[in-house]
Amino acid sequence: MTSHPARRLTLGALLHGSGAHVAGWRHPDARPDGQLDFAFHADLARTLERGRFDALFVADVVALPGHRLDSLSRTGRAEHFEPLTLLAALSLVTEHIGLAATATTTYNHPFHVARKFASLDHISGGRAAWNVVTSVVPLEAANLGYDSHLEPELRYRRADEFVQVVKALWDSYDDEAVIRDKESGRYYDPAGLHTPHHRGEHFAVRGPLNISRPPQGYPVVFQAASPETGKEFAARHGEVLFTAQHELGAAQAFYADVKARAAAHGRAPAHVLVWPGLTPLVAPTETEARRRLAELQDLIHDDVARRLVQDNIGDLDLTGHPVDGPLPDIPATNRGKSRRDPLLKRAHDEKLTIRQLAHRFAAGAAVAGTPEQIADHIETWFHAYAADGFNISFPYLPGPAEDFVDQVVPLLQRRGLLRTEYEVGTLRENLGLPRPVARARHLQETGR
């Protein structure tokens, strides 16, 4: 299968001050204080913009990511900036790169989210993106005054309504409604103001929003498309989809599946971009790249190794078990069997120790190799219709990001995959996504 001539590789980067690898902050060349250093984040954002990335992405959880403070205290995950505050500041030190942030639909209100992302879109000149999540960390519930975490089906029903309300609020004003005419004394045209008057299962929102329509119409909607319920949600709403496939065949199957689902919802498959995760580690030779990855893996503390396995397998306590010993016998469970059972089978078939299994989890989507090998990996997946682009994270910072931009990006550009200059326009335009028509105008044009 050959690539369509109009198709172009798109790239996003996860901006995480301590690095994506759980032990990245301990690397000799890493900045252990990077999480709360704005100048460090600004330099990274400018590096990514120099590499012509489409967007940078700031993930978020409204809780410490784990209740086992013994292991958490040995990672760089315990502190980070509030994403929208950080992105608003980064918008002033960048010109083109998109600015994406996570905001949960489970522990937020649609009016607040609509207003914040509309503000970021105006401040940045049309570069905002909202990563829609339903929250998978139960500890978030306790921080927001809830006794328990909502069940997945309920979270997705709430999220579906949440996104619809946010879009209705972004459509509060027609594009041309705010005229600010000093002579007539008219600030906006009353005919162009629309009040949603929403009342549903989860929300009652009168509206309208107290800010004019975002420059992009809607900020771009990012979404992690898993599990099965997440795929359907993404097919209805998502425009850039984060995925976690590490093998080409599985990635191709996911790509075809989610594009077909989008088409079934009346959407153009080309307007749903699939971005698998990728963690590149560049070196002059493959042997050197693998040595660097191994050195990074060796920095994982024993407590963190046990926690990585526990978090991925679930329903077990490895306290006191030697990390260089085998997994203990684990009782059967119904929780997460589709993910858990293959992991357990692999661990037992390959006779992996707890540490070896932890290293597999820590490596995740790592690809260690020469610039040419990493460029080949990206090109192969793109032309094989396993990806429209990649959500790239760097094991530690800033070195691997600079290596990728300086050594891999030029190869992708010479191969005609990646832009050499930004198009003049919004994040939507750079991604090749259409600007949504305001709802009132859509109804007028369609008669529905």
Side-chain angles (χ1 to χ4, degrees):
M1 182 179 290
T2 57
S3 63
H4 192 281
R7 202 164 160 256
R8 182 182 59 76
L9 180 72
T10 48
L11 293 179
L14 180 64
L15 196 65
H16 196 300
S18 68
H21 191 279
V22 71
W25 70 280
R26 298 184 65 194
H27 191 278
D29 297 331
R31 281 282 305 275
D33 61 344
Q35 286 290 71
L36 296 187
D37 186 331
F38 174 72
F40 182 63
H41 283 79
D43 286 343
L44 290 171
R46 286 188 286 256
T47 295
L48 296 170
E49 194 165 68
R50 180 164 58 84
R52 303 299 185 257
F53 274 67
D54 290 275
L56 61 85
F57 165 54
V58 181
D60 192 39
V61 176
V62 289
L64 286 176
H67 63 281
R68 295 296 182 94
L69 298 184
D70 57 342
S71 59
L72 182 66
S73 70
R74 296 187 180 279
T75 76
R77 304 290 196 249
E79 59 176 8
H80 57 84
F81 288 123
E82 189 283 314
L84 283 163
T85 306
L86 173 62
L87 292 184
L90 290 177
S91 74
L92 302 179
V93 298
T94 56
E95 296 180 40
H96 304 286
I97 196 165
L99 306 166
T102 294
T104 174
T105 59
T106 303
Y107 301 114
N108 271 309
H109 190 279
F111 195 94
H112 287 144
V113 167
R115 187 186 188 202
K116 289 176 182 179
F117 280 93
S119 296
L120 179 62
D121 210 44
H122 279 283
I123 290 170
S124 65
R127 294 189 279 144
W130 171 28
N131 178 42
V132 182
V133 302
T134 65
S135 290
V136 296
V137 179
L139 287 173
E140 293 182 75
N143 285 345
L144 278 300
Y146 297 91
D147 293 330
S148 61
H149 196 38
L150 296 180
E151 291 299 317
E153 183 181 346
L154 182 57
R155 293 204 308 272
Y156 276 104
R157 284 213 316 271
R158 177 186 168 97
D160 194 73
E161 184 180 343
F162 195 113
V163 172
Q164 293 180 54
V165 175
V166 167
K167 289 179 177 178
L169 288 168
W170 284 335
D171 283 336
S172 292
Y173 290 91
D174 288 342
D175 286 323
E176 302 83 14
V178 180
I179 53 179
R180 304 184 184 95
D181 188 336
K182 290 183 178 181
E183 186 174 346
S184 68
R186 180 76 77 186
Y187 193 87
Y188 69 85
D189 179 359
L193 180 65
H194 310 283
T195 303
H197 289 294
H198 174 86
R199 184 171 294 277
E201 178 185 0
H202 302 280
F203 305 106
V205 182
R206 178 186 181 277
L209 197 63
N210 55 351
I211 185 170
S212 56
R213 197 162 191 256
Q216 296 184 96
Y218 303 157
V220 178
V221 176
F222 285 37
Q223 214 257 318
S226 61
E228 192 69 16
T229 313
K231 284 186 190 178
E232 271 303 297
F233 182 86
R236 288 194 302 275
H237 301 294
E239 295 175 289
V240 177
L241 308 185
F242 297 145
T243 70
Q245 286 76 35
H246 300 159
E247 297 176 355
L248 180 61
Q252 288 174 308
F254 176 90
Y255 185 98
D257 181 21
V258 79
K259 296 274 186 170
R261 291 176 191 243
H265 287 287
R267 303 179 63 197
H271 298 158
V272 180
L273 304 180
V274 177
W275 284 5
L278 176 65
T279 304
L281 192 57
V282 185
T285 67
E286 182 179 359
T287 300
E288 174 63 13
R290 293 188 178 281
R291 185 190 66 78
R292 292 182 187 181
L293 179 59
E295 287 181 347
L296 195 57
Q297 299 280 54
D298 288 341
L299 295 175
I300 301 173
H301 191 276
D302 291 359
D303 291 343
V304 177
R306 293 186 186 93
R307 173 48 50 184
L308 278 172
V309 175
Q310 290 178 206
D311 287 346
N312 281 276
I313 299 294
D315 295 325
L316 77 159
D317 184 357
L318 295 176
T319 305
H321 287 273
V323 293
D324 290 314
L327 277 176
D329 290 333
I330 300 170
T333 177
N334 290 324
R335 185 166 74 86
K337 289 193 68 173
S338 62
R339 172 174 169 78
R340 171 189 169 111
D341 288 353
L343 293 174
L344 288 175
K345 185 177 187 305
R346 183 182 311 158
H348 289 302
D349 288 350
E350 299 180 28
K351 295 182 172 54
L352 299 178
T353 65
I354 292 171
R355 188 189 305 279
Q356 288 169 333
L357 189 55
H359 283 189
R360 296 277 183 96
F361 295 138
V367 177
T370 65
E372 291 78 11
Q373 287 174 320
I374 292 172
D376 288 346
H377 175 90
I378 290 171
E379 183 174 16
T380 296
W381 279 49
F382 179 71
H383 285 315
Y385 286 84
D388 295 307
F390 291 86
N391 182 30
I392 295 181
S393 57
F394 300 100
Y396 62 91
L397 293 164
E402 294 168 344
D403 291 342
F404 184 88
V405 166
D406 292 336
Q407 299 177 46
V408 180
V409 162
L411 295 177
L412 298 174
Q413 290 171 330
R414 285 201 289 272
R415 297 179 189 190
L417 295 171
L418 190 66
R419 65 162 67 85
T420 57
E421 296 295 337
Y422 285 102
E423 297 81 357
V424 178
T426 65
L427 173 59
R428 282 189 171 278
E429 290 168 322
N430 283 328
L431 291 171
L433 299 174
R435 188 178 189 277
V437 176
R439 212 165 285 199
R441 181 177 162 192
H442 175 75
L443 292 174
Q444 290 172 356
E445 291 176 349
T446 62
R448 290 183 288 147

